[in-house]
Amino acid sequence: MSTPRTTPLAGLRVLDLATLFAGPLAATMLGDFGAEVIKVEHPRRPDPSRGHGPAKDGIGLWWKLLGRNKRNLTLDLSSPGGRDVLLGLAAGTDVVIENFRPGTLERWGIGPAELHAVNPRLVLARVTGFGQFGPYSHRPGFGTLAEAMSGFAAITGEPDGPPTLPPFGLADSIAALATAYAVMTALAGRDRTGRGQVVDMAIIEPILTVLGPQPLWYDQLGYLQERTGNRSRNNAPRNTYRTSDGHWVAVSTSAQSVAERVMRLVGRPELIDEPWFAAGTTRAEHTEELDEAVGNWIARHTREDAVSAFEKAEAAIAPIHDVRDVMEDPQYRALDSVTEVDDPELGPLRMQNVLFRLSETPGAIRWAGRPHGADTEEILGELGLSAAQVAALRSEGAL
């Protein structure tokens, strides 16, 4: 299971102590580009993602994605033996990612002070719902709470409907991206200073950042963004529209030139000459009229014909895919966005590929998520533990 030296993160070791989902996904992203990731799980309580969602032959499929490119070690970090093994591993590790409640690692004797005592160059990424301090820091924190608290749910949904939560781990996924970025930033800092540091990642913060200038708008104008469904207050037409064959498409006119092309295509060029058509915000004040023009035209065309006509007009449209469409879409196929991975347990699997393509040092999926504790003996052997020591740790319950 060696990592090719041509991968950009080859030689970087990461200990993934986290669960559900931001921390582990950040570790997956690092592993995709060559980092050696060791997933540490409790001996008797595996990562809950192994049991999330559908399973095949009793094997959780989500774990196959989240656990890819990771070696698996069981370790009870709260036990004396587990603590010693963790500190031994940390001495030769570059990054530790954890998401226990603040104070937990300190209580076990493996907090930042102890970790940096054995390895001053270590980067410790702490991913929690609310951060390491503040009035909410000791509350249980999940992505759903971040989606609620950040303002995301308040602006999502129809104007006359309730606030809407996403049906997937949006805040966790955004926090994972931010954590991977934070880790690489801390490693770059280490190259200059020679010292590691602590990354304090609160899941409530990255999603707040990607929501845009809402705090600035409110601070300067008292402006409160409201729910608008699929429409936008910044441009129009922008909505989803049903085609004659019962499919849906999405249209965007963020650029003025595109808005003009759309109006010509749907047979309403006279609207372009209206004074209010010259800017996205004023077009948005005439959403009903613009939506009717676009919607009526699209309703007379099949999805294939509508997309083809928009493409010829250089106007922005996309079919609204479900996962079946994603798997067959020619653009995704060309990019190999959903790629095949051979798995010893389940055979060929198709899952999302690495996040981006590098021309010289590309990432790769070397293997899908492995069984609980599959690499424990091998990893401990590499640490220098004898078979007798491993057996003693097992009898203690540390493994």
Side-chain angles (χ1 to χ4, degrees), residues 84-95:
D84 292 344
V85 169
L86 192 281
L87 290 175
L89 286 169
T93 290
D94 298 282
V95 179

Side-chain angles (χ1 to χ4, degrees), residues 10 22 57 73 78 94 122 140 155 209 256 258 270 288 315 351 388:
D57 299 335
L73 167 71
S78 67
D94 298 282
L122 181 74
I155 64 170
T209 296
Q256 180 68 23
V258 172
E270 76 280 2
E288 295 293 342
M351 65 174 67

Side-chain angles (χ1 to χ4, degrees), residues 234-254:
N234 302 315
N235 66 80
R238 191 264 198 181
N239 211 331
T240 60
Y241 307 92
R242 192 164 192 171
T243 62
S244 64
D245 53 350
H247 294 289
W248 291 86
V249 295
V251 171
S252 175
T253 56
S254 296

Side-chain angles (χ1 to χ4, degrees), residues 1-14 27 29-37 69 92-95 121 184 187 190-191 358 360-364 366-367:
M1 293 185 181
S2 61
T3 300
R5 295 299 302 180
T6 54
T7 54
L9 300 183
L12 191 77
R13 172 177 275 187
V14 178
M29 293 172 183
L30 298 174
D32 284 349
F33 287 89
E36 178 199 357
V37 181
N69 292 336
T93 290
D94 298 282
V95 179
R121 292 174 54 82
M184 297 310 298
L187 290 171
R190 185 183 73 173
D191 289 343
L358 295 179
E360 298 298 325
T361 56
R366 302 184 299 282
W367 60 85

Side-chain angles (χ1 to χ4, degrees), residues 21-27 29 127 171-181 201 206:
F21 284 96
L25 182 55
M29 293 172 183
V127 186
D172 276 303
S173 299
I174 296 171
L177 286 163
T179 300
Y181 166 53
M201 178 62 66

